[in-house]
Amino acid sequence: RRCFCHVHDVVLALTGLMQRNDVFGEVFNIGSAEEVTIWDLAERVKSATSSASEIVTIPYNEAYEEGFEDMTRRIPDISKVEALLGWRTTRSLDDILADVIDHQRTGVPGV
């Protein structure tokens, strides 16, 4: 499970933090709370692109080299940056996918 955040939202959070003098040395999580499985992400990409591609899974030990450890869930706690800046994501995973797909098709970044 993962949460994906649009670069536009990340930039807004970072610039908000850079404008403050009381956050030096602090650690902030910046991200989305919209949790999605990788399988669901693949299905959403297929749907958004009208792809007939088959979704194929491979075993963990084939995807990663020996000794690699990955977390099964990555969900950021954004409460600190939200309380300090009032920051929240403004763009959904569907927005992210639309921008990435559009960029891949046209070469022009979406904003």
Side-chain angles (χ1 to χ4, degrees), residues 69-88:
E69 293 183 23
D70 193 18
M71 297 184 307
T72 57
R73 280 182 90 202
R74 292 185 189 183
I75 295 86
D77 176 0
I78 62 170
S79 60
K80 187 174 174 181
V81 71
E82 183 179 27
L84 187 68
L85 300 178
W87 178 88
R88 289 197 61 75

Side-chain angles (χ1 to χ4, degrees), residues 37-71:
T37 66
I38 299 304
W39 184 267
D40 185 43
L41 175 64
E43 288 180 331
R44 287 167 87 165
V45 169
K46 274 186 63 171
S47 176
T49 59
S50 301
S51 173
S53 298
E54 177 185 1
I55 299 173
V56 178
T57 61
I58 59 173
Y60 185 89
N61 62 340
E62 289 181 33
Y64 301 102
E65 61 189 46
E66 187 174 336
F68 182 84
E69 293 183 23
D70 193 18
M71 297 184 307

